[in-house]
């Protein structure tokens, strides 16, 4: 009999921050201390926050100032970033690498903030809602577009940035006017990037914020490509998350990804933030990027939000119109992130009671690459704090994925408010799993887990459903869940069940 290959482990990534993490320059240390516990609960890769120098020491990194400063130079008020110093970042990467956890870098390539000086340039104002429509004559503005990076003094890159490296700004210092300005002149082509190289929202969504980089300029292309090589050599990364990809050249990003993949190995993972509730547009973008690229499943997040705020909604529609339904290999599934969390610009409210159901739907099924969010795992800080979600059970859901969510999947989507599915296990991961969830009253599903399990006792690894289910000779069991809840049933003698009795410590802020 031919030997069967080992079943590949389920992978799970985590977004390693939320918007209101304290600006105490201790976050790299916090993450470093948590890596061993995260690995034990089934986290394989961490998407870290943008580690390049911001326009201020409190900046989250999306207000990016210098790609080549990862907490090494005294610029913009401190040596370290909001998250810590380069040395502390390197220590995090080393611990992660030693524990078998990959680090994904958050690459913010669309724009710059915090220019060192103003420069005069020619520009026209465009309509905020239709960027193809000019609403002023050409005139001279005084724009914050001069980047000299004096604290770095040319180390790693001698490239400086001037007005002609940018396509647009949103402020004219000469008259203190805020508007969307398209930059013109002899050293600039005076054009936005073309659709579909950027998204067609607002006519043309090349301009998003700050000083918008012009990827038609060869010096911009060369410097950012060089930065890709530099960051990959500076840190032991396993992939990248790209910010705001609707707003800069898809052709350039494809070139960047190709360079990184060919130079640093096929194991690298690339995912983009194309935040738009349009499956058609997401598919079109993925077609353009070819195979080695994924997107966050924004339509799925919006489905979760809609279902969680409706009474007894039809849960069978949860995957309708989602990326994970039509292109599961390219879908990073998630429940919430730093943009959709409460009090953020893209807020997508998801009721607290619904979070465990949503996480079960992304973690315990076979499709997609799930991303657990830091704010759900450890809670949200800031002016409006929130405790960890899922009643503290999110680590157990992640561990259930790592240990038991394997093999053929059979769905029992036969009732609008109560869903169930079974994972049959594999030759070397035979435990199996049965999941039941309800967004209304208590739920019951008679489901087949296999005659090989006849006589076994199965119980809920979350501990939310009491008692045990004894599997019948026909391989069926009567599995239940509570009102507006989820239960994850696994045989009681399955390997690793004792791990679900261990406590997960989410109180991480007082320990650094």
């Amino acid at each position: 009999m031919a030997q069967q290959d080992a079943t590949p482990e389920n992978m799970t990534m985590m977004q390693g921050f939320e918007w209101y993490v304290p600006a105490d320059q201790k976050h790299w240390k916090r993450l470093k201390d948590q890596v061993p516990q995260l690995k034990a609960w089934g986290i394989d890769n961490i998407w870290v926050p943008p580690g390049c120098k911001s326009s201020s020491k409190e900046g989250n990194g999306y207000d990016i100032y210098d790609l080549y400063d990862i907490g090494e130079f005294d610029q913009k008020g401190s040596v370290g970033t909001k998250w810590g110093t380069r040395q502390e970042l390197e220590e995090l990467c080393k611990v992660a690498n030693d524990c078998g956890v990959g680090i994904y870098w958050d690459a913010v390539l669309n724009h710059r903030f915090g220019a060192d000086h103003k420069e005069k340039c020619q520009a026209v104002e465009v309509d905020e809602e239709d960027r193809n429509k000019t609403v002023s004559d050409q005139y001279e503005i005084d724009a914050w577009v001069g980047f000299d990076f004096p604290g770095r003094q040319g180390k790693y890159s001698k490239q400086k940035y001037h007005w002609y490296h940018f396509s647009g700004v949103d402020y004219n210092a000469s008259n203190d006017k805020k508007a969307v300005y398209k930059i013109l002149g002899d050293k600039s082509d005076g054009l936005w990037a073309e659709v579909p190289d950027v998204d067609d929202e607002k006519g043309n969504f090349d301009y998003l914020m700050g000083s918008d980089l012009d990827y038609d300029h060869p010096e911009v292309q060369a410097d950012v490509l060089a930065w890709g090589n530099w960051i990959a050599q500076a840190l032991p990364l396993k992939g990248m998350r790209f910010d705001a990809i609707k707003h800069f050249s898809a052709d350039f990003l494809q070139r960047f990804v190709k360079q990184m993949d060919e130079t640093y190995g096929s194991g690298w993972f690339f995912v983009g933030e194309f935040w738009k509730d349009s499956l058609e547009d997401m598919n079109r973008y993925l077609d353009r990027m070819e195979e080695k690229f994924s997107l966050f499943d924004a339509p799925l997040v919006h489905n979760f939000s809609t279902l969680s705020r409706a009474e007894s909604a039809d849960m069978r529609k949860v995957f309708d119109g989602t990326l994970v339904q039509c292109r599961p290999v390219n879908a990073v599934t998630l429940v919430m992130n730093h943009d959709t969390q409460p009090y953020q610009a893209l807020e997508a409210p998801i009721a607290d009671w619904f979070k465990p159901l949503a996480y079960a739907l992304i973690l315990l099924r076979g499709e997609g690459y799930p991303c657990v969010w830091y704010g759900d795992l450890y809670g949200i800080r800031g002016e409006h704090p929130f405790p960890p979600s899922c009643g503290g059970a999110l680590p157990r859901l992640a561990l259930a994925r790592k240990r038991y969510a394997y093999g053929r999947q059979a769905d029992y989507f036969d009732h609008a408010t109560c869903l169930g599915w079974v994972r049959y296990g594999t030759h070397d991961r035979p435990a199996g799993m049965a999941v039941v969830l309800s967004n209304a009253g208590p739920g019951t599903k008679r489901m087949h887990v296999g005659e090989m399990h006849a006589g076994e006792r199965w119980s809920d690894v979350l501990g939310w459903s009491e008692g045990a289910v004894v599997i019948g000779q026909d391989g069926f069991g009567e599995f239940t869940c509570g009102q507006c809840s989820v239960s994850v049933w696994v045989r009681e003698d399955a390997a690793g069940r004792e791990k679900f009795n261990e406590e997960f410590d989410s109180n991480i802020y007082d320990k650094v």
Side-chain angles (χ1 to χ4, degrees):
M1 182 175 180
Q3 185 176 354
Q4 292 179 281
D5 293 336
T7 303
E9 275 196 4
N10 289 329
M11 294 288 108
T12 303
M13 66 183 283
M14 183 186 86
Q15 179 182 355
F17 63 103
E18 55 96 7
W19 195 258
Y20 302 109
V21 166
D24 56 8
Q25 299 191 328
K26 294 180 180 180
H27 197 61
W28 296 144
K29 291 181 179 179
R30 265 191 290 272
L31 287 177
K32 180 190 72 173
D33 290 348
Q34 292 304 302
V35 164
Q37 187 180 49
L38 290 169
K39 180 64 175 179
W41 284 103
I43 301 299
D44 303 285
N45 297 289
I46 300 174
W47 153 26
V48 297
C52 300
K53 186 62 60 71
S54 301
S55 63
S56 74
K57 61 183 179 181
E58 296 83 18
N60 279 342
Y62 297 106
D63 55 332
I64 184 170
Y65 166 68
D66 185 359
L67 278 174
Y68 290 91
D69 184 356
I70 54 176
E72 182 178 357
F73 303 98
D74 189 357
Q75 300 187 113
K76 299 304 171 183
S78 70
V79 173
T81 64
K82 173 180 176 176
W83 321 109
T85 65
R86 173 174 178 166
Q87 180 180 344
E88 291 160 350
L89 172 60
E90 290 171 344
E91 290 170 358
L92 161 63
C93 291
K94 182 182 185 305
V95 170
N97 189 62
D98 290 346
C99 291
V101 173
I103 297 294
Y104 296 160
W105 191 257
D106 197 331
V108 183
L109 306 181
N110 175 68
H111 51 263
R112 298 290 172 89
F113 276 84
D116 299 304
H117 60 85
K118 296 174 287 185
E119 293 184 353
K120 296 186 183 300
C121 57
Q122 295 291 311
V124 292
E125 298 174 29
V126 300
D127 190 315
E128 176 74 25
E129 299 305 318
D130 183 358
R131 307 295 176 74
N132 294 319
K133 183 179 178 181
T134 300
V135 295
S136 79
D137 293 332
Q138 179 177 328
Y139 66 99
E140 185 178 80
I141 66 171
D142 207 9
W144 287 98
V145 287
F147 290 80
D148 298 327
F149 314 114
R152 185 160 50 79
Q153 296 185 335
K155 189 174 183 180
Y156 306 131
S157 170
K158 299 189 183 303
Q159 178 67 50
K160 297 181 180 181
Y161 284 82
H162 301 287
W163 66 267
Y164 46 84
H165 293 119
F166 300 95
S167 59
V169 293
D170 62 0
Y171 177 71
N172 178 10
S174 65
N175 61 3
D176 199 32
K177 183 175 182 179
K178 294 182 179 180
V180 177
Y181 298 91
K182 183 164 64 170
I183 293 175
L184 311 173
D186 292 341
K187 294 184 179 180
S188 169
D189 63 12
L191 301 170
W192 300 126
E194 294 182 355
V195 173
D197 204 29
V198 295
D199 194 57
D200 63 358
E201 191 175 341
K202 297 182 185 295
N204 180 304
F205 221 169
D206 186 353
Y207 185 82
L208 175 64
M209 62 174 74
S211 301
D212 186 76
L213 284 166
D214 181 3
Y215 277 95
D216 285 336
H217 200 293
E219 289 182 354
V220 174
Q221 296 178 29
D223 192 48
V224 176
L225 287 169
W227 171 81
N229 284 323
W230 175 81
I231 194 71
Q233 293 167 19
L235 299 170
L237 304 177
K238 293 296 183 182
M240 285 189 172
R241 177 262 185 193
F242 297 97
D243 182 59
I245 62 172
K246 289 192 304 183
H247 306 284
F248 69 95
S249 169
D251 287 347
F252 172 79
L253 184 54
Q254 185 183 38
R255 182 180 168 194
F256 184 97
V257 166
K258 186 173 186 289
Q259 167 189 280
M260 302 304 288
D261 184 62
E262 291 180 351
T263 306
Y264 300 101
S266 59
W268 270 57
F269 176 74
F270 304 99
V271 59
E273 181 221 9
F274 189 97
W275 205 260
K276 191 174 186 179
D277 193 10
S278 169
L279 184 60
E280 181 181 356
D281 288 346
M282 296 178 82
N283 273 317
R284 190 157 46 235
Y285 192 91
L286 284 169
D287 288 342
R288 192 178 183 94
M289 290 299 293
E290 298 178 345
E291 294 304 315
K292 293 184 181 293
F293 205 76
S294 296
L295 295 177
F296 291 101
D297 197 342
L300 179 63
V301 172
H302 289 289
N303 283 1
F304 286 155
S305 179
T306 299
L307 290 167
S308 81
R309 291 178 291 134
E311 185 175 350
S312 300
D314 190 343
M315 288 290 291
R316 294 170 298 186
K317 299 179 179 179
V318 65
F319 295 116
D320 288 0
T322 62
L323 187 63
V324 72
Q325 184 183 62
C326 73
R327 291 176 88 146
V329 173
N330 302 101
V332 172
T333 54
L334 70 163
V335 177
M336 189 165 281
N337 68 16
H338 64 288
D339 284 324
T340 67
Q341 74 179 85
Y343 303 99
Q344 283 302 296
L346 299 175
E347 181 178 358
I350 297 177
D352 289 344
W353 66 267
F354 194 86
K355 286 278 186 79
L357 282 66
Y359 272 109
L361 285 161
I362 70 169
L363 287 168
L364 304 181
R365 296 178 61 76
E367 302 81 19
Y369 179 19
C371 181
V372 171
W373 182 51
Y374 181 97
D376 283 327
L377 199 58
Y378 295 111
I380 298 173
R381 306 282 281 190
E383 184 180 353
H384 306 282
F386 291 81
S389 72
C390 303
L394 183 50
R396 290 180 173 85
L397 285 164
L399 184 59
R401 169 180 173 78
K402 176 62 73 175
R403 291 194 174 274
Y404 309 125
Y406 294 94
R408 185 166 61 88
Q409 182 171 285
D411 288 338
Y412 292 77
F413 284 26
D414 52 352
H415 192 279
T417 61
C418 183
L419 306 184
W421 65 91
V422 167
R423 303 297 300 275
Y424 279 95
T426 63
H427 71 282
D428 55 347
R429 295 181 180 272
M433 169 189 286
V435 182
V436 185
L437 60 83
S438 170
N439 67 329
T444 300
K445 289 285 185 189
R446 175 174 164 79
M447 299 191 294
H448 181 262
V449 297
E451 291 81 354
M452 64 281 198
H453 296 296
E456 293 178 353
R457 290 171 56 88
W458 288 38
S459 59
D460 177 17
V461 297
L462 303 181
W464 291 351
S465 287
E466 297 180 353
V469 173
V470 178
I471 308 302
Q473 292 301 309
D474 57 359
F476 278 84
E478 199 84 12
F479 300 98
T480 62
C481 71
Q483 177 179 340
C484 296
S485 187
V486 59
S487 291
V488 181
W489 299 84
V490 177
R491 52 190 267 194
E492 290 186 338
D493 63 348
R497 279 296 298 256
E498 71 281 356
K499 294 290 185 182
F500 290 85
N501 298 322
E502 297 178 2
E503 293 298 318
F504 178 81
D505 187 358
S506 63
N507 183 24
I508 63 173
Y509 289 97
D510 300 330
K511 298 182 178 180
V512 175

